[in-house]
Amino acid sequence: MSIVNIISAIGNNNSIYPLIVRDCGIEVPAKIAMTYNQNKEDKRIAWLGARERFIDEYAVSAVWLGGIPLIDKIGNKLIKKVKNLGLNSDVNLKLINEEEKYNKNIKAGKKNPELVQGFEYNIRKFADKPEAREAIQDMLNVKNNKKLFERLMNTKFITSIVVPIALMGFVIPKLVFASTAKKMEKYRQENPQAQMNVAFGTKDFEQFIRGREKMTSFQGALTSILTNFTTVQKMATTDGGYAVGRIVTARKKNEAIDLGFKFAGMMFLNFVAPHWIDKALNKITDVKLDPKIFVNKQFLASIKYNHLVLPKTDSAKDLIDFVDNNPKALFTKLAGMYNKLNLLENGIRDPRAYVDIKELSKFKNNIERFAKQAIESGSVKKFAQKSLKLRSMTILANIGLSSFLLAYCLPKAQFIFREWFSGSKLEPGLVENNKKV
């Protein structure tokens, strides 16, 4: 894998790669070291705190980064096998919602933009295209079993959220606490004269199970939105549930408050701040495309020799019509390559997939802007090389800054906050009434 591909991967804030780099490679090791250092006035607490942090953070990371994709993959396979109905989770329920919303507005006499994608609309539009036969059949299978398909997608969504939350927020902390309790008991036996004031009680896990049983199924537009969450969106949702679970299972009030502060900061710095930082850096450099596109010889040649053909405007109709009528066009291929479109193996747009018009429009405008600037610069190649350097710098700066905020600034702020509200620098879960273990 080339350095450009690596930078491209970690620069995509809608993928898990920057999360892996920040979480496993930078944040966790730094937090372990800082946890030990924060509690170093008591070596036993420092060691126990660092040990808990190591086991906890990496166990959670394994579930967080790998659990959701794995559950999704298993769920997709199981859905295909249900009653041999040929149901395929690639069919996006947003298409149904899009069409229903359009029809509702028409009936109400509201002015509405022309419908360019929808469930029935896509079936009709691609029905005569042999290349899309399998995809259309998937849509017909869903149409004939819509309620069942919605229930299955709801179940997959709930499972992909609930199982990781249960593991990260309830099971893992109980196991970690139990392990620490064993270490403490061993210490008590070896040092009977030592004063131990640790309370490891947690709220009953059955409370979570009862809450889960009260969940209701999602309907209509909400179903289409939730069941088609991306992996990163599911991770953000799971993080929220994980935070609640950790606060609920905290060993004492001070630990719950300490965890609440930490998780609020973590969620902001993982899922919000990187997008803000990226946007700010892109405004400074005025380079917004993926680094890989700057070394794409076909793309650069099409600009140099004025062969690049783009949609006339960034309207929904012009964008969709262009990619449907020009499946072999470079713009269509690039849109598929950078996940602005879902394309079938033969290159045509997947009628089962929903197109985010806003993202496709931004992509088109960014390409158009780059092409114009490259021509005006006098050398497309040199301009592309300069843009590659600038974009790589902004991506690495984003990773560096967001990692610094997560791995250093947040723990420091947490320690300051902890000492302020509890009166102690030590781990609140390992001391009782501000006394040492």
Side-chain angles (χ1 to χ4, degrees), residues 11-57:
N12 183 2
N13 287 311
N14 293 316
S15 75
I16 67 171
Y17 297 111
L19 293 172
I20 292 174
V21 172
R22 286 196 300 265
D23 188 73
C24 297
I26 301 173
E27 179 189 354
V28 174
K31 283 183 176 179
I32 293 170
M34 291 177 71
T35 295
Y36 184 88
N37 187 63
Q38 175 68 12
N39 297 278
K40 64 183 180 181
E41 65 181 67
D42 187 306
K43 295 298 182 183
R44 281 181 296 108
I45 291 182
W47 179 80
L48 283 172
R51 178 181 177 275
E52 277 197 354
R53 180 59 61 90
F54 177 86
I55 297 172
D56 182 27
E57 293 284 356

Side-chain angles (χ1 to χ4, degrees), residues 278-383:
D278 192 51
K279 189 174 181 180
L281 292 174
N282 287 343
K283 279 188 176 181
I284 295 172
T285 62
D286 198 27
V287 182
K288 302 176 182 178
L289 292 169
D290 187 280
K292 288 191 295 185
I293 204 168
F294 302 128
V295 294
N296 187 311
K297 293 181 180 179
Q298 184 183 3
F299 174 62
L300 298 181
S302 70
I303 295 174
K304 182 177 180 180
Y305 298 109
N306 198 29
H307 292 159
L308 182 63
V309 181
L310 299 173
K312 294 179 182 178
T313 71
D314 58 1
S315 71
K317 186 178 187 309
D318 282 345
L319 290 168
I320 293 294
D321 283 350
F322 182 91
V323 298
D324 287 348
N325 296 330
N326 302 277
K328 295 184 179 181
L330 182 57
F331 173 78
T332 304
K333 293 177 181 178
L334 291 172
M337 187 183 301
Y338 296 108
N339 300 315
K340 309 306 177 185
L341 289 173
N342 281 23
L343 301 177
L344 299 174
E345 290 183 5
N346 48 42
I348 69 171
R349 179 168 67 91
D350 189 343
R352 300 168 299 187
Y354 178 81
V355 179
D356 188 328
I357 299 297
K358 185 177 179 180
E359 284 299 310
L360 186 59
S361 172
K362 281 165 51 177
F363 184 66
K364 179 259 181 187
N365 290 335
N366 288 338
I367 285 181
E368 192 171 48
R369 182 175 178 79
F370 172 81
K372 181 180 179 181
Q373 291 175 332
I375 292 294
E376 291 175 348
S377 73
S379 174
V380 174
K381 183 179 180 180
K382 289 183 179 179
F383 188 78

Side-chain angles (χ1 to χ4, degrees), residues 100-130:
E100 288 178 347
K101 181 181 177 181
Y102 175 83
N103 292 332
K104 184 178 180 181
N105 287 340
I106 293 296
K107 289 181 180 179
K110 296 181 181 179
K111 289 185 178 180
N112 217 35
E114 184 177 352
L115 185 67
V116 296
Q117 62 177 328
F119 193 79
E120 297 288 350
Y121 179 89
N122 281 5
I123 290 176
R124 292 192 301 270
K125 186 173 186 178
F126 288 84
D128 296 331
K129 295 186 178 182

Side-chain angles (χ1 to χ4, degrees), residues 382-397:
K382 289 183 179 179
F383 188 78
Q385 290 173 341
K386 177 184 175 182
S387 298
L388 173 60
K389 290 178 182 178
L390 288 172
R391 186 69 182 116
S392 298
M393 285 174 57
T394 60
I395 288 173
L396 295 176

